[in-house]
Amino acid sequence: ATATPSPTPTPSPTPEPPPFTKYEVQSGDTLSAIANRFGTTIQRLVEINGLENQDVILNVGQELLVPTEPETP
Protein backbone atom coordinates (compact mmCIF):
# COMPACT_ATOMS: atom_id res chain seq x y z
CA ALA A 1 0.00 0.00 0.00
CA THR A 2 1.23 3.46 -0.80
CA ALA A 3 0.77 6.44 1.48
CA THR A 4 -1.62 9.11 0.29
CA PRO A 5 0.14 12.48 0.36
CA SER A 6 -1.53 14.94 2.70
CA PRO A 7 -2.80 18.11 1.02
CA THR A 8 -0.66 21.18 1.46
CA PRO A 9 -2.57 23.78 3.47
CA THR A 10 -3.23 26.95 1.52
CA PRO A 11 -2.70 30.16 3.46
CA SER A 12 -5.87 32.15 3.90
CA PRO A 13 -5.75 35.54 2.20
CA THR A 14 -5.09 38.54 4.39
CA PRO A 15 -8.33 40.53 4.61
CA GLU A 16 -8.21 43.94 3.04
CA PRO A 17 -8.51 46.78 5.55
CA PRO A 18 -11.78 48.67 5.27
CA PRO A 19 -11.48 51.69 2.98
CA PHE A 20 -13.05 53.94 5.63
CA THR A 21 -12.81 54.50 9.35
CA LYS A 22 -15.16 56.37 11.69
CA TYR A 23 -14.21 59.81 12.96
CA GLU A 24 -16.07 61.55 15.76
CA VAL A 25 -16.54 65.27 15.15
CA GLN A 26 -14.84 67.43 17.77
CA SER A 27 -15.63 70.99 18.83
CA GLY A 28 -14.39 73.41 16.16
CA ASP A 29 -14.12 70.79 13.40
CA THR A 30 -15.05 71.74 9.86
CA LEU A 31 -15.26 69.56 6.77
CA SER A 32 -12.24 71.43 5.45
CA ALA A 33 -10.15 70.70 8.57
CA ILE A 34 -11.21 67.03 8.60
CA ALA A 35 -10.44 66.68 4.88
CA ASN A 36 -6.98 68.18 5.41
CA ARG A 37 -6.30 65.94 8.41
CA PHE A 38 -7.16 62.77 6.49
CA GLY A 39 -5.65 63.73 3.13
CA THR A 40 -8.94 63.85 1.26
CA THR A 41 -11.29 66.44 -0.17
CA ILE A 42 -14.41 68.10 1.18
CA GLN A 43 -16.36 66.75 -1.81
CA ARG A 44 -15.21 63.19 -1.03
CA LEU A 45 -16.38 63.52 2.59
CA VAL A 46 -19.75 64.85 1.36
CA GLU A 47 -20.10 61.85 -1.00
CA ILE A 48 -18.96 59.18 1.49
CA ASN A 49 -21.28 60.43 4.22
CA GLY A 50 -24.31 61.29 2.08
CA LEU A 51 -24.25 64.91 3.22
CA GLU A 52 -26.51 67.42 1.47
CA ASN A 53 -23.63 69.76 0.59
CA GLN A 54 -20.30 71.04 1.81
CA ASP A 55 -21.92 73.77 3.90
CA VAL A 56 -23.63 71.31 6.27
CA ILE A 57 -23.24 72.11 9.98
CA LEU A 58 -21.33 69.41 11.85
CA ASN A 59 -22.37 68.48 15.37
CA VAL A 60 -19.94 67.54 18.13
CA GLY A 61 -20.09 63.76 18.55
CA GLN A 62 -21.38 63.20 15.02
CA GLU A 63 -19.65 60.26 13.32
CA LEU A 64 -18.27 60.67 9.83
CA LEU A 65 -16.65 58.08 7.62
CA VAL A 66 -13.20 59.14 6.46
CA PRO A 67 -10.87 57.37 4.01
CA THR A 68 -8.15 55.27 5.61
CA GLU A 69 -5.77 56.06 2.76
CA PRO A 70 -4.96 59.56 1.47
CA GLU A 71 -6.29 60.45 -1.97
CA THR A 72 -3.82 60.05 -4.81
CA PRO A 73 -3.92 62.79 -7.45
Side-chain angles (χ1 to χ4, degrees):
T2 58
T4 306
S6 60
T8 305
T10 55
S12 57
T14 305
E16 288 289 318
F20 306 110
T21 188
K22 287 183 181 178
Y23 172 76
E24 187 175 326
V25 174
Q26 306 297 309
S27 179
D29 273 346
T30 62
L31 281 179
S32 176
I34 295 168
N36 286 336
R37 185 176 311 148
F38 290 94
T40 191
T41 64
I42 295 170
Q43 186 57 41
R44 183 79 172 121
L45 291 176
V46 168
E47 290 170 5
I48 292 168
N49 292 282
L51 302 175
E52 290 182 31
N53 58 55
Q54 66 185 31
D55 299 320
V56 68
I57 303 296
L58 300 177
N59 298 305
V60 173
Q62 179 179 350
E63 286 190 343
L64 295 177
L65 292 177
V66 295
T68 54
E69 295 290 327
E71 301 280 323
T72 54

